[in-house]
């Protein structure tokens, strides 16, 4: 690393701060001075508990032993998300990770399924997603494409205790030389010419100098907004939920290997199973229901004993207009928030850290690096936004004012184009290397009852008998594959049971 970036200061010790500290301490050259500042008085959000499979790339890159991590964070395995009542009340679909059926020739699987469904030959889409079939049986095992295994790989993520994950990464980072300072920052000093931040200051006069500042201070954006006024693109006209109430409850059997997202009157409720408890939360729109009503609904629908008082979090969906300004880069909630429906926030921390490492590790901050960081950040956030808006917009929950409004609202042009293409002949526009893939988009579009008007001409060439045989053989294979796997709870007990102090037994 160039001496121009010798001192890195991370403001914030939530999931974002400690993920950043762990990765920078692991990958930057020895001699880089990394300081993390956090305030016990302010605390952390700490409710990020569900992830997507890419988290494993992050943990693996750091060299974290998976069993040690699972035991230390009370983690369980996650094969996807079950969406209840998002199309019509009573309907359920899964967004399962991994493959969806098998493509034939040029076309992805969903085209054949749509044609078969129109002919009355198909079972619901989830019957052809191995992760969903395995999840529904509450099973799990590590499956790679071994020569002796008949199963395709089973991509998975984790549910974990975010507070314990931050503590785990803190141990990792401190062991690699990161200095932690506890205290509440009160301000910053700027370079009179460049406007760059030169130091951050505590109320008692202590100061910490740096060359690069990573703002992980949460929603408040202590540096990126408080000092540098980066601006915020407010997306609440597309994603109007603005509050969440979180409450833990006891763990229950069976220990399901998936997140549940249930649509409610004016929002939705998450259920995230951990080894030692269940995370629950109600995300809602305060213009359509009061906090008291939302809390009462959450508590009335818990399926196990409440373990603590409910906690309310307020947010505005959107993103920082520029996530990287001067020598400050915002990572985590300080850079924006698109609500937790597809468990993407921790992933966004990971990609932010990746971009920092990619663009900055060999030199000082340049305009080109900042611009490229911001371009990639905008691209990622806008694609994710469209994916989440789709869940709300394509609903048939008629007669409920919140759902009527989000169904009728104008949506981003980019999403309009995707829906129009799909509704024509089932084509799915996947934009560059955006996060969600064709199986992800097709499961949500079909799950929310969008359908193509015409079968794709290539799918239409397969005979009815051929379709029946194709779908039947896939379904039978997946049922048989799933039955070979152990139950999730039993597998976890053997792999990495949590102990009371969060260490592996
Ligand atoms: P925070 O946790 O808010 O941490 C901010 C840090 O900055 C704290 O350490 C604080 O002390 C420090 N700080 C702030 N100001 C100062 C100051 N002046 N001086 C010193 N220190 C300061 N993500 C997922 O991936 N999956 C999920 O299932 C999920 N669910 C969520 C549900 C809800 C309701 C919400 C709101 C978020 C959810 N997230 C989820 C997002 C996830 O919680 C966050 O991305 C993650 O916790 C990162 O937060 P953070 O570290 O950016 O901010």
């Amino acid at each position: 690393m160039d001496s121009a970036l010798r001192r890195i200061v991370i403001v914030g010790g939530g999931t974002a701060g400690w993920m950043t500290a762990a990765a920078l301490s692991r990958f930057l050259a020895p001699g880089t001075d990394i300081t993390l500042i956090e305030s016990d008085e302010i605390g952390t959000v700490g409710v990020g508990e569900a992830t997507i499979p890419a988290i494993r790339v992050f943990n693996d890159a750091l060299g974290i032993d998976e069993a040690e991590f699972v035991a230390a964070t009370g983690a369980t395995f996650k094969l996807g998300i079950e969406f209840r009542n998002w199309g019509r009340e009573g309907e359920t679909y899964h967004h399962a990770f991994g493959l969806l059926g098998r493509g034939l020739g040029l076309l992805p699987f969903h085209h054949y399924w749509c044609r078969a469904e129109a002919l009355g030959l198909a079972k619901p889409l989830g019957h052809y997603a191995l992760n969903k079939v395995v999840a529904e049986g509450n099973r799990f095992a590590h499956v790679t494409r071994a020569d002796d295994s008949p199963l395709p790989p089973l991509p998975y993520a984790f549910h974990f205790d975010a507070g314990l994950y931050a503590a785990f990464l803190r141990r990792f980072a401190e062991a690699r030389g990161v200095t932690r300072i506890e205290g509440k920052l009160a301000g910053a000093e700027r370079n009179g010419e460049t406007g760059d931040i030169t130091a951050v200051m505590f109320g008692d006069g202590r100061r910490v100098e740096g060359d690069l500042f990573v703002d992980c201070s949460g929603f408040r954006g202590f540096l990126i907004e408080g000092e540098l006024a980066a601006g915020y693109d407010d997306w609440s006209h597309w994603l109007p939920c603005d509050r969440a109430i979180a409450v833990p409850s006891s763990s229950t059997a069976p220990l399901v290997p998936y997140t549940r997202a249930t649509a409610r009157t004016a929002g939705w409720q998450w259920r995230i199973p951990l080894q030692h408890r269940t995370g629950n939360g109600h995300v809602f729109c305060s213009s359509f229901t009061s906090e008291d009503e939302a809390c009462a609904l959450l508590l009335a629908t818990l399926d196990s004993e409440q373990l603590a008082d409910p906690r309310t979090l307020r947010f505005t969906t959107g993103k920082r207009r520029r996530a990287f300004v001067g020598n400050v880069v915002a990572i985590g909630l300080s850079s924006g928030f698109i609500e937790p429906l597809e468990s993407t926030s921790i992933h966004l921390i990971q990609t932010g850290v990746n971009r920092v490492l990619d663009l900055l590790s060999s030199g000082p901050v340049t305009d080109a690096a900042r611009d490229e960081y911001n371009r990639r950040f905008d691209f990622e956030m806008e694609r994710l936004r469209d994916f989440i808006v789709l869940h709300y917009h394509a609903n048939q929950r008629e007669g409920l004012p919140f759902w009527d409004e989000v169904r009728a609202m104008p949506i981003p042009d980019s999403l309009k184009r995707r829906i129009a293409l799909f509704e024509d002949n089932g084509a799915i526009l996947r934009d560059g290397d955006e996060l969600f893939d064709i199986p992800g988009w097709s499961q949500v579009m079909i799950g929310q009852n969008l359908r193509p008007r015409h079968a794709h001409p290539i799918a239409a060439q397969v005979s009815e008998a051929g379709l029946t045989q194709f779908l039947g053989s896939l379904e039978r294979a997946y049922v048989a594959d799933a039955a070979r796997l152990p139950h999730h709870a039993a597998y976890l007990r053997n792999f990495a049971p949590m102990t009371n102090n969060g260490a592996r037994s």
Side-chain angles (χ1 to χ4, degrees):
M1 153 154 313
D2 190 282
S3 60
L5 280 185
R6 212 173 31 81
R7 299 162 307 173
I8 297 179
V9 179
I10 300 166
V11 176
T15 314
W18 285 113
M19 282 178 76
T20 305
L24 298 189
S25 66
R26 165 73 181 79
F27 293 111
L28 293 186
T32 311
D33 185 31
I34 303 171
T35 304
L36 182 145
I37 299 166
E38 63 179 320
S39 158
D40 290 345
E41 185 188 325
I42 294 176
T44 63
V45 163
V47 285
E49 297 182 329
T51 57
I52 59 173
I55 185 77
R56 286 163 42 220
V57 176
F58 182 82
N59 285 349
D60 289 352
L62 262 53
I64 289 172
D65 176 75
E66 185 177 299
E68 199 183 315
F69 152 79
V70 168
T73 62
T76 64
F77 295 103
K78 171 179 171 183
L79 295 169
I81 305 175
E82 180 194 67
F83 289 92
R84 287 191 174 178
N85 305 336
W86 282 79
R88 295 181 196 87
E89 193 74 18
E91 289 178 348
T92 295
Y93 73 91
H94 279 242
H95 172 190
F97 303 137
L99 297 177
L100 179 62
R102 196 156 37 81
L104 288 179
L106 293 175
L107 286 188
F109 174 78
H110 69 271
H111 285 283
Y112 299 97
W113 181 87
C114 285
R115 170 162 149 74
E117 192 210 29
L119 293 166
L121 304 173
K123 291 199 175 159
L125 188 65
H127 286 248
Y128 312 100
L130 177 60
N131 269 43
K132 190 267 184 182
V133 177
V134 173
E136 217 158 44
N138 297 322
R139 291 170 189 271
F140 181 80
H142 288 92
V143 178
T144 47
R145 197 187 282 275
D147 288 346
D148 58 352
S149 167
L151 290 169
L154 209 56
Y156 63 93
F158 307 102
H159 305 115
F160 58 65
D161 183 317
L164 294 177
Y165 186 49
F168 183 85
L169 293 178
R170 177 179 162 186
R171 290 193 291 277
F172 179 99
E174 287 186 323
R176 283 159 187 79
V178 171
T179 306
R180 170 184 180 268
I181 303 177
E182 198 284 319
K184 187 172 170 184
L185 291 170
E189 279 174 10
R190 311 272 293 269
N191 177 311
E193 272 175 37
T194 63
D196 280 0
I197 306 284
T198 50
V200 284
M201 288 154 342
F202 296 94
D204 60 11
R206 281 177 299 158
R207 56 198 291 286
V208 180
E209 293 184 356
D211 304 309
L212 176 73
F213 292 81
V214 188
D215 186 343
C216 297
S217 65
F219 288 127
R220 57 185 58 74
F222 177 75
L223 291 176
I224 196 76
E225 198 59 52
E227 286 294 326
L228 299 173
Y232 197 73
D233 290 329
D234 182 338
W235 287 341
S236 49
H237 50 296
W238 290 314
L239 294 167
C241 287
D242 57 356
R243 303 256 202 294
I245 302 178
V247 69
S249 63
S250 55
S251 63
T252 56
L255 190 66
V256 300
Y258 54 86
T259 304
R260 179 174 298 143
T262 306
R264 297 288 186 213
T265 322
W268 63 279
Q269 185 171 331
W270 79 74
R271 183 185 185 282
I272 298 178
L274 307 182
Q275 290 193 38
H276 52 306
R277 60 175 168 80
T278 305
N280 309 276
H282 186 182
V283 176
F284 61 98
C285 179
S286 61
S287 314
F288 287 85
T289 188
S290 71
E291 211 162 297
D292 286 347
E293 282 171 336
C295 189
L297 181 57
L298 173 64
L299 297 182
T301 50
L302 294 181
D303 58 9
S304 56
E305 186 197 347
Q306 182 185 339
L307 295 180
D309 290 336
R311 201 174 139 217
T312 301
L313 297 136
R314 296 171 177 219
F315 54 82
T316 306
T317 45
K319 69 165 188 67
R320 207 59 70 192
R321 205 157 287 146
R322 287 173 303 152
F324 201 151
V325 182
N327 63 340
V328 173
V329 57
I331 294 184
L333 297 174
S334 61
S335 67
F337 186 54
I338 318 187
E339 75 155 89
L341 189 55
E342 286 278 355
S343 322
T344 45
S345 285
I346 291 174
H347 178 73
L348 291 170
I349 297 171
Q350 180 178 340
T351 55
V353 174
N354 285 350
R355 279 192 295 271
V356 167
L357 288 169
D358 184 25
L359 295 168
L360 294 184
S361 56
S362 61
V365 183
T366 61
D367 288 345
R370 250 188 313 265
D371 291 350
E372 178 59 12
Y373 187 101
N374 286 329
R375 191 191 65 77
R376 289 190 208 169
F377 171 74
D378 291 350
F379 177 89
E380 180 172 50
M381 292 293 276
E382 285 163 11
R383 274 45 203 180
L384 271 183
R385 174 203 64 198
D386 285 3
F387 192 54
I388 304 299
V389 172
L390 169 67
H391 296 65
Y392 284 100
H393 173 66
N395 82 81
Q396 299 87 45
R397 296 168 59 75
E398 285 167 21
L400 293 167
F402 170 78
W403 294 96
D404 288 343
E405 181 160 308
V406 292
R407 191 179 334 103
M409 71 184 169
I411 55 172
D413 287 344
S414 42
L415 178 59
K416 234 187 263 172
R417 278 198 300 278
R418 291 194 205 242
I419 293 177
L421 268 175
F422 182 78
E423 287 188 327
D424 181 19
N425 74 350
I428 289 181
L429 186 166
R430 181 163 191 234
D431 199 358
D433 58 355
E434 72 169 312
L435 177 60
F436 288 105
D437 54 9
I438 290 179
W441 279 96
S442 54
Q443 286 176 88
V444 175
M445 285 182 160
I446 290 169
Q448 304 262 163
N449 297 314
L450 299 179
R451 292 292 185 276
R453 278 183 293 278
H454 317 283
H456 191 286
I458 298 178
Q461 289 171 18
V462 182
S463 68
E464 292 189 22
L467 276 177
T468 305
Q469 201 277 333
F470 174 52
L471 294 181
S473 65
L474 270 176
E475 192 199 358
R476 282 189 298 278
Y478 286 171
V479 168
D481 287 347
R484 271 190 279 270
L485 298 176
H487 283 105
H488 179 215
Y491 188 80
L492 256 177
R493 264 198 307 278
N494 188 39
F495 177 70
M498 188 189 192
T499 54
N500 284 343
N501 61 8
R504 199 178 172 202
S505 64

